[in-house]
Amino acid sequence: MKIGVDLGGTNTVVGLCTDEGALLCKQGTPTRTGDPDGLRADMRRLALAVCAEKGVAPDEVCQVGIGVPGSFIKRTCTLTFGTNLQMDDVSFAQAFQPEFNCPVYLDNDANCAALGEYIGGAGRGVRNMVMVTLGTGLGGGLILDGKLYTGANDIAGEIGHMVVHYNGLPCNCGRRGCWEAYSSATGMVRLAEAALARGGDSLLRGMKAENGGRLMAKMVCDARDAGDSLADGVFRQYVEYFACGLNNMIAILQPEKIVVGGGLAGYGEKLMSPVRALIRRGLMKADCEQAELVLAELGNDAGIIGAAMLAR
Ligand SMILES: [Zn+2]
C-alpha cells in the first residue's frame, strides 16, 4: 500500500492507494496554513484514518508521497518556500512517525498531477506525456520514457515559464511574456480586461459588475457561449497563445499525449477543438504520428495518486 498527500493552500487531502496506484479512499481537512506542527499532525492523523477505513495496518504502507505547492529539497523532504501555506523550511521526513516507518517522498503538486494522470488517468499506456494544468497559474509536468522528468536539480518541468511573447506581459516569476501570463485562467482574464479597456459592448461588463468588479475566466467562456463577440475575440486570442506554447512543447518533446487539466479544462471540447486545429497547422512534419490532445480524467485525485507513486 502507498499513501499520497495533496497538500494545497486550501485543503490537505490524504489518500490510500494500492501499489499499482489505484485510489482506495481519501480524507481531507482544511490546510492549517502558517502552522507546521499542526499541518504535520493533520497529515499523520489522516494517514492513520484512511488506513483504518480500509483495515490496513500502518506497517503495510511502503511509502508516503507529498505533493507540495512551492519549492523544496527532495533529499531532506523539506518545503523551503511555500507561499500559499505561509510557511518556509518545513521538513516532512518525520511527519508520519512513529506509526509509518517508511520513506517519505516529495515533489511539486503539478508533477504529482502529471504522474497521477500518467498512471491512472488520461495518459495511461503511453511512454511520453506532457500535462498542462490551466489554473491561476499554468503548471505542468513531463513524463519522458515512462518516468517523471525533474532534471538535474529536481526543478524541471516549469513549462508555464516558457516565453511565448518576447518582452510581453510581466509574469509572477519576474520575466516577461511567459506562457503562464497568457494561457492561465488569470491570463485569459488579463486578455479580457485589455479588450474591455479598448472599449466596445460586451456582456462581460455586466458580469464583472455583478461579481463586485472581478472578472473570471469562466465569465469569458459563458459570454462567448451567449454569442458575445468581444468574449469570442478574447477566447480566440487565448487559444492562439495556448496553441503556441503547445506547439513549442511538441517540437521539443514529441509526446504521444498532451493532457490538459485545471479549471479552464472544464470548458471541455469547446476549448480543445480549436486548439487542436491550430496545433495541426503548426506541425513541423505532417506525415508521422502526432501528439494527441486530451482532457485530464482524474481531477483533484491525480495529485494524490501521483504523490503516492513518487519514486526516488
Ligand atoms: Zn514566468
Side-chain angles (χ1 to χ4, degrees), residues 160-161 171-173 175 178:
H161 300 289
C171 178
N172 288 330
C173 73
R175 299 170 77 208
C178 292

Side-chain angles (χ1 to χ4, degrees), residues 4-306:
V5 182
D6 179 14
L7 177 51
T10 312
N11 290 307
T12 302
V13 186
V14 176
L16 181 68
C17 294
T18 64
D19 290 346
E20 291 73 38
L23 181 62
L24 301 175
C25 68
K26 59 180 176 178
Q27 294 193 31
T29 189
T31 299
R32 283 205 241 178
T33 49
D35 175 8
D37 289 332
L39 175 62
R40 280 185 288 236
D42 279 348
M43 284 165 47
R44 177 167 148 265
R45 178 176 58 79
L46 290 169
L48 288 168
V50 291
C51 284
E53 187 179 333
K54 289 292 164 190
V56 169
D59 63 7
E60 291 175 64
V61 173
C62 62
Q63 68 177 70
V64 178
I66 311 170
V68 297
S71 48
F72 48 83
I73 302 168
K74 266 191 194 178
R75 191 174 39 79
T76 57
C77 209
T78 302
L79 178 76
T80 49
F81 187 64
T83 316
N84 295 336
L85 302 176
Q86 296 159 36
M87 54 181 86
D88 302 330
D89 295 316
V90 181
S91 171
F92 294 105
Q94 310 295 321
F96 300 88
Q97 299 278 3
E99 291 88 352
F100 299 92
N101 206 8
C102 60
V104 180
Y105 301 128
L106 180 140
D107 210 319
N108 78 49
D109 44 9
N111 279 345
C112 290
L115 188 58
E117 286 289 342
Y118 176 67
I119 287 168
R124 272 189 318 269
V126 301
R127 295 290 295 168
N128 304 283
M129 183 200 104
V130 174
M131 169 103 193
V132 186
T133 305
L134 306 173
T136 310
L138 190 157
L142 310 174
I143 306 290
L144 301 181
D145 206 15
K147 278 203 278 218
L148 180 65
Y149 181 79
T150 56
N153 52 7
D154 300 335
I155 60 168
E158 292 287 348
I159 60 176
H161 300 289
M162 153 177 67
V163 171
V164 294
H165 189 146
Y166 181 67
N167 258 342
L169 294 171
C171 178
N172 288 330
C173 73
R175 299 170 77 208
R176 283 181 165 273
C178 292
W179 199 20
E180 171 168 298
Y182 295 86
S183 294
S184 59
T186 318
M188 183 185 272
V189 169
R190 228 165 166 182
L191 295 174
E193 290 285 13
L196 289 174
R198 286 193 295 270
D201 249 4
S202 172
L203 295 170
L204 288 174
R205 295 188 191 282
M207 290 170 154
K208 182 182 167 184
E210 264 172 47
N211 194 42
R214 197 163 165 240
L215 204 57
M216 317 280 285
K218 186 167 184 308
M219 295 175 189
V220 178
C221 300
D222 289 346
R224 177 175 181 260
D225 287 346
D228 189 274
S229 69
L230 185 139
D232 185 54
V234 168
F235 180 75
R236 282 187 214 210
Q237 201 184 0
Y238 174 87
V239 163
E240 296 255 355
Y241 279 114
F242 186 33
C244 169
L246 290 174
N247 275 332
N248 292 343
M249 300 301 308
I250 292 170
I252 298 168
L253 300 172
Q254 296 295 347
E256 289 107 304
K257 274 192 182 172
I258 297 177
V259 178
V260 182
L264 256 178
Y267 200 43
E269 281 303 310
K270 284 187 275 190
L271 170 65
M272 303 293 267
S273 110
V275 173
R276 274 191 206 109
L278 284 187
I279 286 178
R280 222 165 289 134
R281 217 175 62 191
L283 291 178
M284 306 185 75
K285 212 167 173 287
D287 58 350
C288 54
E289 219 167 291
Q290 301 296 346
E292 194 189 341
L293 190 68
V294 295
L295 289 166
E297 292 174 1
L298 300 176
N300 294 333
D301 289 351
I304 304 171
I305 295 170

